[in-house]
């Protein structure tokens, strides 16, 4: 799923994102609004992951949609 589709379906996807990454808050997701770079940064912050791992997690999540 490409970035444009993710942005378009953000409200629907935010519930699935919260299920997968429960440490993210509603505020985090409201600010992200489909911007994967912001989501990657929040995953790094909340989970202590490297940038590479956070990017891989987001990429894997988006391919499974």
């Amino acid at each position: 799923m490409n970035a444009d589709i993710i942005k378009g379906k953000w409200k629907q996807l935010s519930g699935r994102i919260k299920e997968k990454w429960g440490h993210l808050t509603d505020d985090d997701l409201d600010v992200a609004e489909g911007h994967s770079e912001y989501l990657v940064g929040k995953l790094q912050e909340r989970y202590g992951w490297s940038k590479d791992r956070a990017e891989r997690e987001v990429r894997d999540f988006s391919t499974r949609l």
Side-chain angles (χ1 to χ4, degrees):
M1 182 172 283
N2 70 30
D4 292 332
I5 294 171
I6 290 173
K7 287 179 186 177
K9 295 186 175 194
W10 186 251
K11 291 294 180 189
Q12 296 167 339
L13 294 175
S14 62
R16 294 173 106 185
I17 290 170
K18 282 176 35 179
E19 286 176 12
K20 180 157 179 71
W21 299 302
H23 287 75
L24 296 176
T25 66
D26 288 332
D27 289 340
D28 293 336
L29 297 177
D30 288 344
V31 173
E33 289 189 32
H35 297 285
S36 62
E37 300 85 20
Y38 182 85
L39 184 57
V40 166
K42 281 298 171 182
L43 289 172
Q44 287 179 267
E45 180 182 320
R46 299 281 192 245
Y47 289 90
W49 293 341
S50 68
K51 183 176 182 179
D52 289 337
R53 173 153 184 212
E55 287 174 339
R56 186 174 56 250
E57 291 277 338
V58 170
R59 185 176 49 249
D60 291 348
F61 177 77
S62 67
T63 59
R64 291 185 187 128
L65 297 175

